[in-house]
Amino acid sequence: MLRGTESVNDWLPIIRAEYCEFPGMQLTRPQMRRLWNLDPETCDAVIAALEAEHFLRRKADDVYARAD
């Protein structure tokens, strides 16, 4: 796991790979923060980037799942 100097661009391929490895994975924002040890700002930025590229979508129950 990356620590200290990671950026959003460092996290995107890691998180994409996890979601691809577990296609049915659905995580809340707090679960994402715990799983990948993300600070709130990085987590928000990663989620925003993955939503913008239509990789993730937020479902009605505030979980994030693959958009496909």
Side-chain angles (χ1 to χ4, degrees):
M1 183 178 302
L2 301 173
R3 301 238 187 237
T5 60
E6 64 271 356
S7 72
V8 171
N9 288 330
D10 295 324
W11 282 109
L12 293 175
I14 294 166
I15 294 171
R16 273 191 224 103
E18 294 277 346
Y19 269 95
C20 288
E21 186 172 341
F22 302 101
M25 186 161 67
Q26 298 182 50
L27 297 171
T28 64
R29 190 176 303 260
Q31 288 170 326
M32 289 179 165
R33 289 191 54 215
R34 283 191 304 272
L35 180 62
W36 293 300
N37 195 29
L38 299 171
D39 61 71
E41 295 79 20
T42 302
C43 186
D44 291 346
V46 165
I47 290 170
L50 292 171
E51 283 185 305
E53 66 185 41
H54 304 288
F55 181 80
L56 289 183
R57 66 183 169 94
R58 189 175 94 192
K59 297 174 70 177
D61 49 359
D62 284 332
V63 297
Y64 292 88
R66 283 181 50 185
D68 55 10

